[in-house]
Amino acid sequence: MKIIAAQPFDFTFEPAHTALIVIDMQRDFIEPGGFGATLGNDVGLLKKIVPTVARLLAAFRAAGLPIIHTRECHRSDLSDCPPAKRGRGTPSLRIGDPGPMGRILIAGEPGADIVPELAAKPGEIVLDKPGKGAFYATPLSAILAERGITHLVFAGVTTEVCVQTTMREANDRGFECLLAEDATESYFPEFKKAALDMIRAQGAIVGWTATVDQVERALRS
Ligand code: TIU
């Protein structure tokens, strides 16, 4: 057993049953001209966590633990994109429209790829998901069950949208969940703070939070 000095209290885990899930560190959310930018967001904030996420990936790789990368994207015929999602709001480009990094949020287009600094290594799982939560319409439950995973460490973007949705889905499915606070980011700093606060409130009602330093220290211990 290992222990992460987390909030609101220690997170105890067995490395053999623990995996890292890195959510949607894609060019479409992090680089100019992608999905995040079409929604009117300043993507610069998200770019800043790339080195921290890289450190967390390196720690899990060094420990030989499973790593799952997710990508929010849709089939090229948009058959898995609900019209309600595509039609929402007044973005500058809609899902499937051609943009500077290819068609917005479409699988196989350059924008849907993970930023090169965080690319998956051989043996790591890359999971495409049509929703905000990574359990919806994906084989994630089966992938985790096959490997006997009970504990999940989360990183990625954005904190209050895809990361929080996936963490809540995992919590309801019985996983013990910890979010790496400095390896996640939102376009809205106040939403990041609120999401972290609500995750660990009420005795870790959704899960724990800890810094990448704290996770690294536990993995090395
Ligand atoms: N817009 C926003 O904050 N997020 C998303 O649309 N997807 C993810 O969080 N990945």
Side-chain angles (χ1 to χ4, degrees), residues 10-76:
D10 285 353
F11 180 81
T12 304
F13 67 103
E14 185 67 62
H17 299 291
T18 303
L20 172 65
I21 301 189
V22 180
I23 305 278
D24 301 356
M25 292 299 291
Q26 297 161 256
R27 298 182 66 198
D28 254 322
F29 293 104
I30 293 167
E31 294 186 14
F35 181 63
T38 70
L39 298 174
N41 297 306
D42 171 7
V43 296
L45 266 177
L46 270 53
K47 180 107 190 154
K48 291 191 189 128
I49 65 161
V50 169
T52 321
V53 178
R55 267 208 297 127
L56 185 61
L57 278 166
F60 270 75
R61 285 168 182 154
L65 303 188
I67 297 173
I68 297 160
H69 306 256
T70 70
R71 301 187 293 205
E72 181 181 351
C73 57
H74 294 279
R75 297 191 192 121
S76 60

XYZ file of all heavy atoms in Angstrom, residues 10-76:
513
model
N -5.575 11.543 3.662
C -4.674 10.665 2.899
C -5.439 9.755 1.923
O -6.519 9.249 2.254
C -3.868 9.773 3.849
C -2.761 10.530 4.566
O -2.525 11.706 4.231
O -2.135 9.929 5.472
N -4.842 9.544 0.750
C -5.385 8.638 -0.276
C -4.489 7.412 -0.285
O -3.301 7.494 -0.585
C -5.346 9.353 -1.629
C -5.873 8.553 -2.801
C -7.235 8.459 -3.045
C -5.001 7.934 -3.698
C -7.725 7.759 -4.145
C -5.482 7.233 -4.805
C -6.848 7.148 -5.022
N -5.059 6.265 0.102
C -4.294 5.017 0.199
C -4.594 4.168 -1.024
O -5.761 4.021 -1.398
C -4.706 4.258 1.469
O -4.510 5.135 2.573
C -3.854 3.017 1.674
N -3.542 3.648 -1.678
C -3.775 2.869 -2.897
C -2.741 1.765 -3.056
O -1.621 1.864 -2.560
C -3.761 3.782 -4.133
C -2.413 4.389 -4.446
C -1.629 3.887 -5.487
C -1.911 5.450 -3.706
C -0.386 4.430 -5.778
C -0.660 5.996 -3.986
C 0.101 5.491 -5.019
N -3.167 0.736 -3.761
C -2.292 -0.374 -4.115
C -1.866 -0.133 -5.564
O -2.727 -0.138 -6.460
C -3.092 -1.681 -3.992
C -2.313 -2.938 -4.216
C -1.274 -3.179 -3.136
O -1.658 -3.342 -1.968
O -0.082 -3.183 -3.491
N -0.571 0.097 -5.822
C -0.169 0.420 -7.199
C -0.668 -0.593 -8.231
O -1.052 -0.207 -9.333
C 1.366 0.446 -7.119
C 1.651 0.806 -5.702
C 0.557 0.185 -4.878
N -0.701 -1.868 -7.883
C -1.117 -2.901 -8.849
C -2.567 -2.726 -9.299
O -2.982 -3.323 -10.291
C -0.935 -4.289 -8.237
N -3.340 -1.914 -8.548
C -4.754 -1.727 -8.901
C -5.062 -0.266 -9.236
O -6.205 0.176 -9.092
C -5.639 -2.211 -7.742
C -5.448 -3.669 -7.443
N -5.863 -4.658 -8.303
C -4.836 -4.296 -6.409
C -5.538 -5.840 -7.805
N -4.898 -5.647 -6.658
N -4.042 0.464 -9.655
C -4.194 1.906 -9.875
C -3.804 2.270 -11.306
O -2.819 1.755 -11.836
C -3.313 2.676 -8.862
O -3.697 2.282 -7.541
C -3.452 4.179 -9.016
N -4.581 3.155 -11.921
C -4.280 3.637 -13.276
C -4.366 5.160 -13.319
O -5.039 5.779 -12.484
C -5.261 3.040 -14.282
N -3.685 5.723 -14.317
C -3.759 7.169 -14.591
C -4.671 7.380 -15.799
O -4.516 6.698 -16.823
C -2.358 7.706 -14.905
C -2.275 9.159 -15.402
C -2.735 10.153 -14.333
C -0.840 9.491 -15.845
N -5.601 8.327 -15.684
C -6.439 8.707 -16.833
C -6.170 10.171 -17.144
O -6.419 11.053 -16.306
C -7.940 8.488 -16.554
C -8.208 7.006 -16.221
C -8.768 8.921 -17.763
C -9.680 6.629 -16.146
N -5.645 10.424 -18.331
C -5.367 11.800 -18.772
C -6.469 12.180 -19.765
O -6.615 11.582 -20.828
C -3.979 11.910 -19.428
C -3.729 13.352 -19.868
C -2.901 11.453 -18.454
N -7.242 13.193 -19.374
C -8.432 13.558 -20.136
C -8.143 14.645 -21.185
O -7.709 15.752 -20.845
C -9.525 14.101 -19.174
C -9.843 13.109 -18.047
C -10.782 14.525 -19.945
C -10.789 12.006 -18.392
N -8.337 14.331 -22.433
C -8.537 15.294 -23.534
C -7.442 16.362 -23.674
O -7.757 17.533 -23.931
C -9.910 15.975 -23.390
C -11.059 14.977 -23.413
O -10.817 13.780 -23.616
O -12.210 15.411 -23.209
N -6.164 15.967 -23.501
C -5.071 16.940 -23.701
C -4.807 17.069 -25.210
O -3.714 16.830 -25.709
C -3.821 16.510 -22.937
C -3.974 16.581 -21.421
S -4.319 18.256 -20.783
C -2.772 19.091 -21.092
N -5.833 17.523 -25.912
C -5.828 17.570 -27.379
C -5.548 18.975 -27.884
O -5.895 19.970 -27.244
C -7.211 17.150 -27.904
C -7.619 15.741 -27.572
C -9.124 15.559 -27.707
O -9.847 15.507 -26.714
N -9.608 15.462 -28.945
N -5.010 19.017 -29.094
C -4.765 20.315 -29.732
C -6.066 21.125 -29.821
O -6.045 22.349 -29.699
C -4.158 20.097 -31.115
C -2.810 19.376 -31.049
C -2.217 19.211 -32.433
N -1.871 20.496 -33.010
C -1.658 20.710 -34.308
N -1.759 19.714 -35.172
N -1.347 21.910 -34.746
N -7.205 20.450 -30.018
C -8.496 21.150 -30.146
C -8.874 21.959 -28.901
O -9.691 22.866 -28.990
C -9.619 20.140 -30.460
C -10.084 20.216 -31.913
O -10.152 21.340 -32.453
O -10.375 19.154 -32.496
N -8.329 21.600 -27.748
C -8.633 22.364 -26.530
C -7.501 23.304 -26.133
O -7.723 24.272 -25.413
C -8.918 21.401 -25.362
C -10.173 20.614 -25.564
C -10.131 19.285 -25.941
C -11.411 21.219 -25.419
C -11.296 18.572 -26.160
C -12.586 20.518 -25.640
C -12.526 19.185 -26.012
N -6.272 22.993 -26.598
C -5.084 23.634 -26.033
C -4.424 24.617 -27.000
O -3.698 25.514 -26.586
C -4.117 22.518 -25.585
C -4.755 21.777 -24.407
C -2.740 23.042 -25.210
C -4.086 20.488 -24.044
N -4.672 24.439 -28.296
C -4.005 25.305 -29.284
C -5.016 26.263 -29.929
O -6.206 25.954 -30.007
C -3.317 24.442 -30.348
C -2.174 23.635 -29.739
C -1.353 22.878 -30.774
O -1.485 23.159 -31.986
O -0.594 21.995 -30.351
N -4.535 27.403 -30.411
C -5.427 28.353 -31.076
C -6.067 27.718 -32.317
O -5.451 26.902 -32.986
C -4.492 29.503 -31.489
C -3.260 29.339 -30.660
C -3.141 27.873 -30.351
N -7.311 28.087 -32.596
C -7.983 27.619 -33.814
C -8.756 26.331 -33.647
O -9.355 25.833 -34.592
N -8.756 25.761 -32.428
C -9.466 24.499 -32.196
C -10.839 24.709 -31.570
O -11.354 25.837 -31.513
N -11.412 23.591 -31.085
C -12.768 23.623 -30.519
C -12.875 24.614 -29.356
O -13.813 25.418 -29.297
C -13.153 22.212 -30.063
C -14.533 22.098 -29.494
C -15.647 22.356 -30.277
C -14.737 21.721 -28.168
C -16.944 22.243 -29.757
C -16.024 21.598 -27.643
C -17.117 21.858 -28.434
N -11.898 24.571 -28.442
C -11.950 25.468 -27.271
C -11.978 26.924 -27.686
O -12.737 27.732 -27.133
N -11.169 27.259 -28.680
C -11.111 28.643 -29.155
C -12.412 29.033 -29.865
O -12.884 30.166 -29.734
C -9.913 28.829 -30.082
N -13.023 28.087 -30.601
C -14.281 28.423 -31.301
C -15.389 28.792 -30.319
O -16.329 29.497 -30.679
C -14.819 27.253 -32.176
O -15.294 26.199 -31.337
C -13.784 26.734 -33.145
N -15.257 28.289 -29.073
C -16.271 28.591 -28.055
C -16.010 29.947 -27.393
O -16.746 30.347 -26.496
C -16.288 27.490 -26.989
C -16.642 26.082 -27.479
C -16.479 25.059 -26.356
C -18.062 26.026 -28.026
N -14.916 30.604 -27.812
C -14.618 31.934 -27.292
C -13.633 31.939 -26.137
O -13.479 32.949 -25.447
N -12.948 30.813 -25.913
C -12.045 30.719 -24.763
C -10.619 31.142 -25.092
O -10.170 31.009 -26.222
C -12.003 29.269 -24.269
C -13.348 28.787 -23.769
O -13.950 29.410 -22.911
N -13.834 27.686 -24.337
N -9.891 31.601 -24.049
C -8.456 31.846 -24.131
C -7.757 30.523 -23.815
O -7.782 30.066 -22.676
C -8.076 32.926 -23.118
C -6.567 33.085 -22.971
O -5.807 32.449 -23.747
O -6.146 33.825 -22.065
N -7.147 29.899 -24.845
C -6.576 28.564 -24.658
C -5.196 28.603 -23.990
O -4.672 27.561 -23.598
C -6.506 27.777 -25.996
C -7.903 27.524 -26.537
C -5.641 28.489 -27.020
N -4.636 29.816 -23.848
C -3.290 29.954 -23.274
C -3.168 29.367 -21.877
O -2.133 28.801 -21.510
N -4.222 29.505 -21.089
C -4.219 28.985 -19.710
C -3.970 27.481 -19.681
O -3.257 26.972 -18.819
C -5.604 29.221 -19.086
C -5.857 30.459 -18.254
C -7.314 30.492 -17.812
C -4.931 30.489 -17.044
N -4.567 26.762 -20.625
C -4.486 25.295 -20.625
C -3.096 24.827 -21.017
O -2.588 23.827 -20.505
C -5.544 24.699 -21.566
C -6.906 24.383 -20.927
C -7.492 25.577 -20.199
C -7.892 23.822 -21.927
N -2.475 25.548 -21.918
C -1.142 25.178 -22.423
C -0.130 25.086 -21.276
O 0.809 24.281 -21.319
C -0.714 26.242 -23.447
C 0.623 26.013 -24.067
C 0.480 25.549 -25.503
C 1.812 25.080 -26.041
N 1.711 24.110 -27.098
N -0.328 25.936 -20.252
C 0.659 26.021 -19.156
C 0.799 24.734 -18.356
O 1.808 24.520 -17.695
C 0.281 27.162 -18.203
C 0.442 28.525 -18.823
C 0.333 29.630 -17.791
C 0.289 30.980 -18.492
N -0.827 31.805 -18.076
N -0.231 23.861 -18.360
C -0.110 22.637 -17.542
C 0.566 21.491 -18.287
O 0.803 20.430 -17.696
C -1.466 22.138 -16.978
C -2.405 21.705 -18.102
C -2.088 23.178 -16.068
C -3.532 20.803 -17.620
N 0.884 21.677 -19.579
C 1.461 20.563 -20.357
C 2.703 19.971 -19.672
O 2.792 18.745 -19.510
C 1.726 20.987 -21.821
C 2.559 19.944 -22.557
C 0.392 21.210 -22.550
N 3.672 20.787 -19.191
C 4.850 20.197 -18.540
C 4.500 19.432 -17.252
O 5.144 18.426 -16.929
C 5.739 21.403 -18.216
C 5.259 22.505 -19.108
C 3.791 22.260 -19.319
N 3.494 19.887 -16.526
C 3.105 19.208 -15.276
C 2.446 17.868 -15.578
O 2.692 16.869 -14.892
C 2.142 20.106 -14.466
O 2.587 21.442 -14.571
C 2.095 19.691 -13.025
N 1.596 17.853 -16.613
C 0.980 16.574 -17.017
C 2.078 15.618 -17.491
O 2.050 14.418 -17.191
C -0.089 16.792 -18.110
C -0.681 15.457 -18.562
C -1.194 17.720 -17.622
N 3.080 16.150 -18.183
C 4.196 15.311 -18.658
C 4.936 14.684 -17.475
O 5.342 13.514 -17.522
C 5.153 16.136 -19.514
N 5.090 15.444 -16.390
C 5.758 14.901 -15.189
C 4.946 13.774 -14.560
O 5.496 12.766 -14.105
C 5.937 16.018 -14.149
C 7.274 16.724 -14.249
C 7.725 17.293 -12.911
N 6.828 18.313 -12.420
C 6.285 18.301 -11.203
N 6.535 17.333 -10.347
N 5.479 19.278 -10.839
N 3.630 13.953 -14.532
C 2.757 12.917 -13.965
C 2.819 11.654 -14.829
O 2.913 10.532 -14.309
C 1.326 13.457 -13.878
C 0.288 12.576 -13.203
C 0.644 12.291 -11.747
C -1.097 13.247 -13.271
N 2.786 11.829 -16.147
C 2.918 10.682 -17.064
C 4.248 9.963 -16.816
O 4.289 8.725 -16.744
C 2.853 11.154 -18.522
C 1.451 11.390 -19.094
C 1.540 12.176 -20.395
C 0.725 10.062 -19.327
N 5.315 10.736 -16.662
C 6.636 10.134 -16.451
C 6.654 9.322 -15.160
O 7.245 8.232 -15.100
C 7.712 11.218 -16.415
N 5.976 9.819 -14.126
C 5.950 9.106 -12.836
C 5.201 7.778 -12.968
O 5.637 6.757 -12.427
C 5.297 9.989 -11.772
N 4.089 7.783 -13.679
C 3.337 6.530 -13.876
C 4.113 5.574 -14.778
O 4.093 4.367 -14.566
C 1.925 6.813 -14.416
C 0.925 6.998 -13.307
C 0.900 8.169 -12.565
C 0.040 5.986 -12.963
C 0.010 8.343 -11.517
C -0.856 6.136 -11.912
C -0.869 7.312 -11.192
N 4.794 6.111 -15.804
C 5.598 5.241 -16.679
C 6.733 4.602 -15.881
O 6.996 3.405 -16.008
C 6.145 6.053 -17.862
C 5.073 6.344 -18.906
C 5.507 7.368 -19.935
N 4.418 7.647 -20.875
C 4.270 8.775 -21.541
N 5.147 9.772 -21.408
N 3.239 8.932 -22.365
N 7.389 5.415 -15.033
C 8.514 4.883 -14.245
C 8.031 3.790 -13.291
O 8.758 2.827 -13.020
C 9.178 6.018 -13.463
N 6.791 3.932 -12.801
C 6.241 2.938 -11.869
C 5.640 1.739 -12.608
O 5.232 0.767 -11.970
C 5.183 3.594 -10.986
N 5.566 1.823 -13.936
C 5.035 0.708 -14.731
C 3.530 0.515 -14.578
O 3.019 -0.597 -14.754
N 2.797 1.606 -14.279
C 1.345 1.494 -14.057
C 0.575 1.857 -15.332
O 1.067 2.609 -16.173
C 0.926 2.404 -12.900
C 1.654 2.145 -11.582
C 1.037 2.967 -10.463
C 1.606 0.664 -11.223
N -0.649 1.339 -15.469
C -1.425 1.581 -16.695
C -1.775 3.062 -16.896
O -2.060 3.773 -15.914
C -2.710 0.769 -16.495
C -2.481 -0.120 -15.327
C -1.363 0.468 -14.528
N -1.773 3.472 -18.152
C -2.096 4.856 -18.517
C -3.147 4.828 -19.624
O -2.997 4.107 -20.612
C -0.838 5.610 -18.982
C 0.172 5.708 -17.827
C -1.204 7.003 -19.521
C 1.524 6.278 -18.216
N -4.193 5.625 -19.419
C -5.249 5.759 -20.421
C -5.354 7.234 -20.793
O -5.465 8.093 -19.917
C -6.598 5.259 -19.851
C -6.489 3.755 -19.527
C -7.737 5.522 -20.832
C -7.527 3.255 -18.556
N -5.284 7.500 -22.091
C -5.463 8.868 -22.602
C -6.836 8.923 -23.270
O -7.160 8.027 -24.050
C -4.430 9.201 -23.680
C -3.007 8.982 -23.278
N -2.158 10.023 -22.955
C -2.257 7.850 -23.159
C -0.954 9.539 -22.670
N -0.986 8.218 -22.782
N -7.621 9.963 -22.998
C -8.890 10.089 -23.717
C -8.823 11.252 -24.701
O -8.017 12.175 -24.550
C -10.089 10.306 -22.767
O -9.995 11.619 -22.198
C -10.137 9.255 -21.670
N -9.686 11.158 -25.710
C -9.837 12.245 -26.693
C -11.330 12.444 -26.921
O -12.027 11.485 -27.272
C -9.184 11.876 -28.036
C -7.704 11.580 -27.945
C -7.063 11.376 -29.309
N -7.537 10.177 -29.981
C -6.842 9.510 -30.919
N -5.637 9.953 -31.290
N -7.350 8.445 -31.493
N -11.793 13.675 -26.736
C -13.188 13.976 -27.088
C -13.230 14.236 -28.581
O -12.602 15.187 -29.069
C -13.692 15.199 -26.313
C -15.161 15.521 -26.641
C -15.706 16.743 -25.902
O -15.032 17.276 -25.009
O -16.824 17.175 -26.267
N -13.932 13.396 -29.322
C -14.034 13.610 -30.771
C -15.174 12.766 -31.322
O -15.727 11.910 -30.632
C -12.716 13.286 -31.468
S -12.129 11.622 -31.177
N -15.495 13.030 -32.576
C -16.650 12.388 -33.216
C -16.263 11.755 -34.534
O -15.257 12.123 -35.148
C -17.751 13.441 -33.427
C -18.286 13.947 -32.127
N -19.220 13.273 -31.394
C -17.951 15.048 -31.399
C -19.466 13.941 -30.276
N -18.701 15.019 -30.245
N -17.116 10.804 -34.964
C -16.917 10.179 -36.272
C -17.089 11.227 -37.364
O -17.831 12.201 -37.182
C -17.949 9.058 -36.472
C -17.796 7.946 -35.460
C -18.664 6.740 -35.861
N -18.736 5.817 -34.748
C -19.870 5.437 -34.144
N -21.040 5.843 -34.588
N -19.829 4.619 -33.106
N -16.433 10.980 -38.501
C -16.446 12.009 -39.555
C -17.848 12.259 -40.099
O -18.145 13.351 -40.574
C -15.467 11.649 -40.676
O -15.853 10.416 -41.230
